[in-house]
Amino acid sequence: MGYVTSTSISPATSAPAINRPNVVAVGTIVWLGSEVMFFAGLFAIYFTLKSTSPDLWAAETQHLNVPYALTNTIILVASSFTCQFGVFAAERLQPRRTGWSPAKWGMVEWFTLSYLLGAIFVSGQVLEYATLVSEGVSLSANAYGSAFYLTTGFHALHVTGGLIAFLLVIGRAFAVKTFGHKEATSAIVVSYYWHFVDVVWIGLFAVIYIIR
């Protein structure tokens, strides 16, 4: 009786893992794309009204305090850098500081600083609004007032939304027992939004305060 030999079938080589993009990050980027279109519409409104009333623009822009607005802009741009340092800490899965030096700060400390800078920026805008209104530049005064407050006002609302997002991410870092990739992803997408509002403001500052 002959022996029947059988050959063992080796298991198939496992397929390489596919690194799919993070759904939350992709969704945030798509949403920011729609926000780009929104602000593009506001820029279009501003330029259209400006082209139809050049004399009005020449007179009303004299009320703008450019050095004050530049200082406020620098504060907001600085918050974008501190926000990114917070993202670096989140990517290291380091929620809180390990020492007093800024080099040892965690996401919470950097995001708190970003929140404070953003809050100073919004407060500065409110003070600027109060000054302009006292000088007769109001929302309903003329086309310039409408264009100015619509563009900068909607941006201020977006900055306020970013401040709320900072608080939510900071609170989540304290609420969870272990700071993991989900929490880090939340910090990253908030940074996307914050960088976006910073870039939009740079464009607004150039159009409203520089190209007067």
Side-chain angles (χ1 to χ4, degrees):
M1 185 175 180
Y3 294 98
V4 178
T5 60
S6 61
T7 57
S8 61
I9 301 175
S10 59
T13 306
S14 60
I18 300 175
N19 294 323
R20 294 183 176 86
N22 186 280
V23 176
V24 178
V26 172
T28 302
I29 293 172
V30 172
W31 174 65
L32 289 179
S34 68
E35 289 293 292
V36 170
M37 300 305 296
F38 172 78
F39 278 103
L42 292 179
F43 276 102
I45 292 172
Y46 185 89
F47 282 120
T48 300
L49 293 175
K50 180 181 179 181
S51 65
T52 58
S53 308
D55 295 334
L56 175 64
W57 249 250
E60 294 297 286
T61 52
Q62 298 302 317
H63 295 283
L64 297 178
N65 188 338
V66 178
Y68 177 87
L70 176 61
T71 302
N72 216 24
T73 299
I74 292 173
I75 291 172
L76 185 64
V77 172
S79 74
S80 198
F81 286 95
T82 58
C83 175
Q84 191 57 41
F85 284 125
V87 170
F88 293 151
E91 291 175 340
R92 298 193 304 267
L93 301 182
Q94 180 189 348
R96 288 179 288 279
R97 62 180 176 84
T98 57
W100 289 106
S101 170
K104 297 181 180 180
W105 281 8
M107 184 210 71
V108 169
E109 288 74 29
W110 285 115
F111 271 24
T112 300
L113 180 56
S114 301
Y115 174 86
L116 293 175
L117 291 173
I120 292 172
F121 172 82
V122 173
S123 301
Q125 272 201 295
V126 171
L127 180 59
E128 182 183 28
Y129 287 170
T131 303
L132 289 174
V133 169
S134 67
E135 296 176 356
V137 183
S138 63
L139 178 65
S140 58
N142 47 45
Y144 175 81
S146 299
F148 176 82
Y149 288 106
L150 278 176
T151 51
T152 60
F154 273 112
H155 178 267
L157 289 176
H158 281 71
V159 174
T160 303
L163 295 179
I164 295 173
F166 276 135
L167 292 179
L168 291 175
V169 172
I170 293 171
R172 186 175 182 180
F174 284 102
V176 297
K177 294 182 179 179
T178 303
F179 188 90
H181 291 286
K182 288 184 178 180
E183 289 71 31
T185 299
S186 298
I188 292 170
V189 296
V190 168
S191 75
Y192 290 167
Y193 178 81
W194 195 251
H195 295 325
F196 168 76
V197 296
D198 278 14
V199 171
V200 169
W201 177 254
I202 292 173
L204 286 173
F205 175 77
V207 169
I208 295 174
Y209 295 90
I210 304 301
I211 312 173
R212 294 188 291 172

